[in-house]
């Protein structure tokens, strides 16, 4: 038969409520009594009923990580797993555990959030940008349910969110190629519905306009395979009347197929054309030559999201809306040495 809290109380010659307060680290119990009760707990190998404790405190000690998940997601958007890993590391250190839940549509995501909020089956929720909708954020705000969104929502909202500034990331990529001597840019991006890709394009466009650089850009269609679309769009760009001498790829998966098109055009990287892509993780090491990348630390993004959510759980009035870090350049073999260092900001 397992040891109960009453057994510990009897052995320690204190009340069960005193044992409970020791377990919950109450400041009302003296250090002498705390040490004594803890020694009895250790001797008797008593394991507290965590579920009962959390029920009494109206806590679950769990948070939910919600995202949309579809076929080929591990290939198309592997960053979700890095974000989840970063969040889980922080959550576990704080004595919580994380439940990963996926939805197949925005409507299903709303129903999942509604169920969590109504049943209070979790202390808080992290929602990846793909699963966010105005209905979800309205519900979370009305019910004052602890939450954090991964990504600045594409609509007006008072919800808590954290993000990496992808507009700045686009500017950083364009400026770097400009400083390498590039005079004509091309951007091969994700789907038009991909907010991150569009924000990066916004930053690239801004820099191109301000510096009078020609810019050609392409976004894949929903039915396109990324590798085929990257290859076809690069061939189209390179066969034009004014081919680019610098290409920015939405990710390192695109970069591999773009490199193939460049080689078929009998062009040398980086002598004839420079190439840069976003995201060092997870495919950049398989591209030859190794690409210069705008590194986005999505693991840190997940970690920060979890930290802010835990703060929100402790303090419901805590609010955060902001960018937590800036991307950095990792220089490799696909770009020339900078020729305009003085123009770096």
């Amino acid at each position: 038969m397992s040891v109960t809290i009453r057994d510990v109380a009897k052995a320690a010659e204190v009340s069960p409520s005193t044992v409970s307060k020791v377990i919950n680290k109450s400041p009302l119990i003296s250090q002498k009594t705390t040490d004594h009760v803890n020694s009895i707990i250790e001797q008797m190998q008593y394991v507290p009923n965590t579920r009962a404790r959390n029920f009494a405190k109206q806590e679950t000690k769990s948070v939910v990580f919600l995202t949309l998940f579809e076929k080929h997601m591990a290939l198309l958007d592997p960053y979700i797993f890095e974000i989840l890993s970063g969040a889980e590391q922080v959550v576990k250190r704080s004595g919580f555990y994380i439940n990963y839940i996926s939805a197949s549509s925005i409507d299903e995501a709303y129903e999942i959030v509604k169920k969590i909020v109504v049943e209070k089956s979790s202390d808080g929720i992290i929602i990846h940008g793909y699963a966010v909708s105005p209905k979800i954020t309205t519900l979370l705000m009305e019910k004052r349910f602890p939450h954090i969104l991964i990504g600045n929502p594409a609509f007006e909202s008072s919800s808590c969110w954290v993000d990496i500034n992808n507009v700045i990331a686009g500017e950083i990529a364009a400026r770097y190629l400009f400083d390498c001597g590039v005079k004509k840019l091309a951007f091969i991006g994700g789907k038009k519905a991909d907010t991150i890709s569009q924000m990066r394009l916004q930053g690239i466009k801004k820099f191109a306009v301000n510096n009078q650089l020609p810019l050609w850009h392409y976004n894949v269609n929903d039915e396109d395979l990324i590798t085929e679309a990257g290859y076809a769009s690069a061939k189209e760009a390179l066969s034009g009347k004014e081919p680019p001498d610098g290409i920015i790829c939405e990710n390192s998966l695109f970069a591999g197929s773009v490199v193939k098109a460049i080689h078929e055009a009998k062009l040398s990287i980086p002598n004839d054309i420079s190439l840069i892509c976003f995201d060092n993780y997870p495919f950049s090491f398989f591209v030859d030559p190794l690409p210069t990348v705008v590194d986005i630390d999505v693991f840190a993004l997940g970690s920060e999201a979890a930290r802010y959510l835990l703060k929100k759980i402790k303090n419901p009035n805590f609010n955060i809306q902001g960018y937590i870090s800036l991307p950095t350049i990792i220089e490799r073999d696909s770009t020339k040495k900078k020729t305009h260092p003085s123009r770096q900001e």
Side-chain angles (χ1 to χ4, degrees), residues 230-232 234-235 238 256-267:
Y231 172 75
K235 284 190 69 88
L238 295 170
S257 57
V258 170
V259 166
K260 178 183 176 183
I262 292 172
H263 287 160
E264 287 185 359
K266 308 298 183 184
L267 296 172

Side-chain angles (χ1 to χ4, degrees), residues 72-119:
H72 303 311
M73 183 62 76
L75 182 65
L76 297 176
D77 195 354
Y79 320 110
I80 287 176
F81 304 106
E82 277 289 283
I83 294 170
L84 174 59
S85 295
E88 183 181 33
Q89 187 179 85
V90 171
V91 165
K92 285 168 63 177
R93 282 203 302 260
S94 299
F96 283 67
Y97 62 91
I98 195 163
N99 288 321
Y100 174 79
I101 301 178
S102 64
S104 58
S105 68
I106 288 290
D107 290 338
E108 184 185 0
Y110 172 76
E111 293 302 323
I112 290 170
V113 172
K114 183 179 177 181
K115 183 176 172 63
I116 292 169
V117 171
V118 171
E119 296 180 356

Side-chain angles (χ1 to χ4, degrees), residues 175-181 331 336-345:
R175 177 180 291 111
Y176 183 85
L177 289 185
F178 178 67
D179 287 338
C180 289
E331 297 177 292
K336 301 174 185 176
K337 296 296 183 182
K338 296 179 184 179
T339 58
H340 307 299
S342 61
R343 298 184 187 179
Q344 287 277 78
E345 293 182 2

Side-chain angles (χ1 to χ4, degrees), residues 8 72 74 91 96 104 121 197 222 266 287 295 321 333:
V8 173
H72 303 311
V91 165
F96 283 67
S104 58
S121 56
S197 183
D222 288 349
K266 308 298 183 184
V287 179
D295 188 31
Q321 288 186 335
D333 302 332

Side-chain angles (χ1 to χ4, degrees), residues 5-77:
I5 194 169
R6 293 185 180 279
D7 295 331
V8 173
K10 184 177 179 180
E13 299 182 336
V14 297
S15 67
S17 64
T18 298
V19 177
S20 177
K21 288 175 182 176
V22 169
I23 292 170
N24 289 295
K25 297 180 171 56
S26 171
L28 302 177
I29 305 300
S30 70
Q31 189 61 50
K32 181 179 179 181
T33 300
T34 297
D35 292 342
H36 172 60
V37 171
N38 280 331
S39 68
I40 298 297
I41 288 174
E42 186 175 349
Q43 290 172 24
M44 299 182 74
Q45 297 183 333
Y46 169 65
V47 179
N49 187 330
T50 303
R51 179 176 293 181
R53 286 170 56 201
N54 291 340
F55 178 79
K57 296 163 73 175
Q58 293 294 297
E59 292 179 342
T60 68
K61 282 296 182 180
S62 70
V63 299
V64 165
F65 185 99
L66 175 65
T67 186
L68 293 189
F69 206 86
E70 56 188 16
K71 191 175 182 181
H72 303 311
M73 183 62 76
L75 182 65
L76 297 176
D77 195 354

Side-chain angles (χ1 to χ4, degrees), residues 228-280:
E228 292 181 3
Y231 172 75
S233 55
K235 284 190 69 88
E236 181 182 339
L238 295 170
S239 63
K241 291 183 179 179
E242 294 186 4
D245 57 346
I247 296 180
I248 303 171
C249 297
E250 172 63 22
N251 54 47
S252 47
L253 188 57
F254 271 128
S257 57
V258 170
V259 166
K260 178 183 176 183
I262 292 172
H263 287 160
E264 287 185 359
K266 308 298 183 184
L267 296 172
S268 169
I269 302 172
N271 294 327
D272 299 318
I273 188 164
S274 292
L275 181 140
I276 191 170
C277 62
F278 294 97
D279 306 327
N280 193 38

